[in-house]
Structure formats: structure tokens, C-alpha cells
Amino acid sequence: MLLRYFYDDNLAHASYVVGCQATGEAVVVDPMRDISAYEELAAKENLNIVGALETHIHADFVSGSRELENRFGAKLYLSDEGDADWKYQNINHLHHQLVKGGDQFKIGNLIFEVMHTPGHTPESISFLLTDRGGSADKAMGIFTGDFVFVGDVGRPDLLEKAAGVEGTSKAGAKDMFESLERFKKLPDYLQVWPAHGAGSACGKALGAVPSTTVGYEKMFNWALQYDELEAFQTELLDGQPEPPAYFAVMKSVNKTGVELMKDLPKPQVIGSADELKKLIADGQQVVDLRASALFGNGYIPGTINIPFNQSFANWAGWIVDYNKPLYLLLNPESLEQVVGVLRSVGIDGEISYGDVSKLIEEAGELESYKSVSPEQAKEMIKDGKANVLDVRNQSEYDEGHIEGANHIMIGTLKKRLDEVPASKTIIVQCQSGARSAIATSLLKANGFDDLVNLSGGYSKWKEELSV
């Protein structure tokens, strides 16, 4: 048997290729949209990818299952659990098999057994893997998707918070409790292969270790220590981070289907600074991908700064309007990687780009914004010259904040500009200064001129000013 682990740092997403080397057949579990890495492995190991397994309808990235079906003719193994709202659509033309808890299917000498594990979503399933190529007659591991992570479990509130299905959070927590009770009965030696690691918004305390065992999680995973439903529900629902706005879009496209990558429009070039200025004047969304320090020192007025780093996919999903063309200012050498990340979260519309260094040089007059130290911010607040805008998550704000700070989570800022306290200088603040830099650029692009970014954020404020 062959087992390979693939990890997308931009999405904190794990996928797996499982192959039977005796027959040369392989499947991909929870595939990412860009299937090139699987193609390379298949060619190297002389494998034919015959299947794609999905643990649930994903909310945080576009699944690559339909890409694999198109490229390899792979059969899609999809959940048939959950009610009518959580059934896959537009799949009749695809090679597929709907599965329920208790079903089994065979790939070469590998046996996959389906376990219905609702909680994160109603249709969630896990796959127990048994390698019958030798003498083993028991499962060696389980692909848990967003059910059990290393040190955490899947959040049950996405249907309510991201998809707008009211009243489902508590019911999902109850389902999760019951699924975990069944999980606890699995053998301790069983390996656990989850679909996400630290940094994913699909849970609140995910570990950075790629795999674990049932026994280890039974001992140390906080969620498996509860024997009483109500206490578990309360703890599971408390402190979950705000789900990115694009999660609702991902749920929809993964249920109904998206265009294949090869059919998406190719990026076009922004020809000149004059063309760019006209786009900005016409209200188009222009995103500068430089590091926040570079952007803050000089940028083309009207542009928004989302630095291209491991958080780019998350903030692009929050801030970019999926229904409008997107114009990017970047280093052209990074274009392919940037577009790949955008496509992974379903930003499939028209994309144009320009060489940021060239366009800034051509643009002439630039804007900038200032950062202030905690001590400077404190004096501004004390003198009545400034209001504080805290753009962190609700749980961070609840744990501690600057007295009198107004709280608008950065992902919702674009829709709540009328709530921004603009009667005085605005001190924009997050935990470290990174998110507040994005928020500062967003506010500047929307006409808020009297503002500064708090350098080092709330962490530095506490470090330097707490008695």
C-alpha cells in the first residue's frame, strides 16, 4: 500500500493519495482543486487514479474531485447522508457512487468502510481503511475529514453562521457528541488522518501535527473528555472564530459544481498606470499584494492591501467581491501561484494584473499612512484626539481590549463602514498589527483619511502599558 500526505499551507488543508501498488490503482481523499501534485505522484509511482473520496461538502476550499473525474475518469465517492439540503447536485453526468454509513467499497486490495460522523455537517462521513494486501483483516486508520482533528473537532456552527441555516448550531453539537461517542469505541491503535491542521477556521484549537491515533485523542483531545451533552455543547460552541464570508460560496459550489480550471478565463495585463487609475476611478477592486510595511510607505490611492502570505486566501475570501473583476498589483513572477490560491477559494471571475513596481513608478503621486506606538496611541486617546477601532475576532476582543475601543471584525468591515467612529483620528488595532494594516488600507480606499495603524497591536499594548 502507498499513502502520501499533501498539505496546502494557504488553506491549512490536508489531502491524501492512497494506492494499491499490487494493482496500480489509487484514490485521493478530500482533493484540493489544483490536482497537479496528484498527477505528478501518479506518473512517478505508475498509478492510475481511479477514485476521489469526499468526507463532506467542504466550506473552505473548492474540491478537486470533479477535476480528477475529468482528468482520469475517477469515480467520485460522495456522501448520501443528511437531508435534501445536503445532497450533491449536478452529478448525474459524472462517474460517481453515493455512500452511506456501513457501506464498503474496494480499490485493489484496499477496503474502505464508510462511517457516518455528523456534527460538523449533517452529511459528514469518515473512511476506515483496511489493507488486505497482506494478512491484516482490521482497519489501520480512519480519514476523518473535519470530524476529528489533532486536539480538536469540527465546528458545528458553520451552517448557521456561514450558510444562514438558523438553529442548526446546537443540533450540530448534539450530533457531534453522539459521533464522538462512536469514535471512542474505535480501537486505540487506529491512525487518524484529518483534513485540516492549525490555522484552519473549521475548528478553534487544531494542532499542527499531521496525524494522530484514536487512543491519543481519547486521552488528550479536549472534546473527548466530556460525558455530558449540555456541557459539551456549551464548550464546543463557545469561542469559535468568525467563519470567513466565502464559506457560504464554497458550500454552494462544492454541492452544485464549478467550472473546470482549464475553462476559467486567463489573467489579462493592466497596461499602464493611467489605465489603473481609470479602473480605480470607476470603482473597480484593485488589490496590492506587497507586504504591509512596503504598502504603508507608498501606494496608489484607492488600492487595498492584502499581503501575499499564508493568510492571503482567508482575507481574499473575506474582502474580494466574487461578482466583480479583480485587479492585482504584484510581482509577475508570483502570478501563477497567486491565481492558484484565488481559484482554490472559488474566485473564478476575470483577473487582471500589473507589475506593482513598474506601476508605482509610473503613477507619480502616492499616498501613505502612519503607524503609532502604544505610548503614542495612549496619549492620543488620553487627550481626546482619537477613537480606537479593534478589528480582531470577537473571542479575542472578549479576552481583553483597549478601554473604549469600538469593535468591528475586519472581515465584516466593508459592510459596516457606517459604524466606523470617524469624528476623531481612528487608531486601527488588531492583535499584532497585520490585520489592522489590511483594515487601514480598506478604510483609506473608502475615504477615511484621518487614521493610523497601531504598531504591534494589542499584544504590544499589553506588553508595554500593562502595569
Side-chain angles (χ1 to χ4, degrees):
M1 187 189 85
L2 174 145
L3 176 63
R4 290 288 187 273
Y5 171 81
F6 295 85
Y7 195 75
D8 184 344
D9 288 312
N10 296 296
L11 298 166
H13 163 230
S15 57
Y16 306 83
V17 171
V18 191
C20 174
Q21 292 167 303
T23 63
E25 298 170 290
V27 298
V28 186
V29 183
D30 288 330
M32 52 190 166
R33 192 178 194 182
D34 181 357
I35 63 171
S36 58
Y38 313 134
E39 292 178 301
E40 291 173 11
L41 178 69
K44 179 182 178 182
E45 298 291 342
N46 197 27
L47 294 171
N48 182 31
I49 297 178
V50 300
L53 284 55
E54 290 197 11
T55 55
H56 64 296
I57 300 172
H58 294 281
D60 54 322
F61 67 95
V62 179
S63 168
S65 292
R66 296 178 193 239
E67 296 281 341
L68 290 168
E69 197 273 349
N70 177 263
R71 168 67 177 81
F72 292 98
K75 179 189 280 190
L76 311 188
Y77 295 87
L78 307 172
S79 175
D80 197 27
E81 297 285 3
D83 60 26
D85 291 332
W86 300 101
K87 302 292 186 183
Y88 288 86
Q89 298 175 6
N90 302 322
I91 57 174
N92 290 338
H93 65 293
L94 302 174
H95 187 33
H96 73 280
Q97 179 177 333
L98 297 176
V99 296
K100 290 180 175 288
D103 289 350
Q104 290 188 356
F105 55 91
K106 190 174 182 182
I107 306 295
N109 294 318
L110 307 176
I111 306 294
F112 292 87
E113 180 180 352
V114 181
M115 180 177 176
H116 185 209
T117 50
H120 177 62
T121 59
E123 84 287 357
S124 291
I125 54 177
S126 298
F127 296 98
L128 289 150
L129 171 64
T130 303
D131 179 10
R132 296 302 300 269
S135 60
D137 61 356
K138 297 184 186 303
M140 67 181 299
I142 181 170
F143 297 98
T144 53
D146 291 14
F147 167 40
V148 173
F149 302 120
V150 178
D152 201 4
V153 295
R155 60 189 299 177
D157 59 329
L158 288 181
L159 299 186
E160 187 161 349
K161 291 181 179 177
V165 185
E166 293 187 11
T168 54
S169 295
K170 195 167 185 180
K174 180 176 183 294
D175 287 343
M176 179 62 74
F177 180 81
E178 293 171 351
S179 294
L180 290 174
E181 289 300 298
R182 295 193 297 277
F183 179 85
K184 290 176 183 178
K185 296 176 182 177
L186 296 172
D188 284 357
Y189 63 79
L190 209 64
Q191 297 180 65
V192 175
W193 302 302
H196 289 293
S200 169
C202 291
K204 60 180 178 179
L206 283 70
V209 178
S211 65
T212 182
T213 65
V214 170
Y216 190 86
E217 294 308 304
K218 283 160 66 173
M219 286 190 292
F220 299 113
N221 188 318
W222 70 266
L224 274 73
Q225 311 311 310
Y226 285 83
D227 296 319
E228 199 275 319
L229 172 60
E230 289 190 10
F232 172 80
Q233 286 177 309
T234 299
E235 181 61 28
L236 180 58
L237 294 173
D238 182 56
Q240 291 288 0
E242 287 84 348
Y246 77 91
F247 273 24
V249 178
M250 294 301 91
K251 269 290 181 186
S252 175
V253 301
N254 283 324
K255 181 167 74 170
T256 62
V258 292
E259 287 191 65
L260 296 172
M261 293 273 279
K262 64 183 179 64
D263 297 328
L264 295 178
K266 304 301 181 187
Q268 302 299 307
V269 177
I270 302 170
S272 66
D274 287 340
E275 179 185 343
L276 177 62
K277 289 176 181 179
K278 186 177 185 305
L279 291 168
I280 294 170
D282 290 342
Q284 299 294 345
Q285 54 183 352
V286 182
V287 179
D288 185 324
L289 276 64
R290 291 177 298 158
S292 57
L294 288 175
F295 179 89
N297 285 332
Y299 61 89
I300 296 172
T303 59
I304 295 169
N305 181 218
I306 307 177
F308 187 59
N309 53 32
Q310 288 187 10
S311 299
F312 177 73
N314 179 59
W315 297 124
W318 269 111
I319 295 170
V320 169
D321 186 338
Y322 278 49
N323 298 314
K324 294 175 62 177
L326 177 61
Y327 299 88
L328 304 172
L329 305 183
L330 44 65
N331 179 341
E333 293 181 359
S334 67
L335 176 66
E336 184 177 353
Q337 186 181 4
V338 169
V339 172
V341 173
L342 293 170
R343 299 311 194 201
S344 75
V345 293
I347 299 176
D348 284 355
E350 296 177 15
I351 293 176
S352 298
Y353 71 97
D355 184 328
V356 63
S357 298
K358 175 177 174 289
L359 290 173
I360 281 182
E361 187 176 339
E362 288 181 12
E365 188 174 349
L366 303 176
E367 285 192 1
S368 62
Y369 65 80
K370 295 180 179 180
S371 294
V372 295
S373 68
E375 187 61 44
Q376 290 171 316
K378 181 180 179 182
E379 288 301 314
M380 292 170 68
I381 297 167
K382 181 181 176 183
D383 293 343
K385 296 179 180 179
N387 292 315
V388 178
L389 176 63
D390 188 327
V391 298
R392 296 176 300 162
N393 292 334
Q394 185 66 50
S395 59
E396 294 173 293
Y397 180 83
D398 291 342
E399 288 175 5
H401 55 266
I402 298 172
E403 185 177 354
N406 300 274
H407 179 239
I408 303 177
M409 187 266 178
I410 181 177
T412 65
L413 181 58
K414 197 166 66 167
K415 294 181 178 179
R416 299 173 62 186
L417 294 173
D418 59 338
E419 299 177 39
V420 176
S423 59
K424 304 174 183 177
T425 299
I426 306 166
I427 300 173
V428 191
Q429 164 254 312
C430 66
Q431 193 70 19
S432 67
R435 284 170 288 175
S436 58
I438 297 174
T440 297
S441 77
L442 183 60
L443 290 169
K444 292 281 281 187
N446 282 277
F448 292 83
D449 291 321
D450 188 10
L451 47 73
V452 293
N453 180 40
L454 179 61
S455 179
Y458 185 66
S459 293
K460 196 169 184 181
W461 174 280
K462 282 204 308 178
E463 177 187 332
E464 294 188 358
L465 301 182
S466 296
V467 178

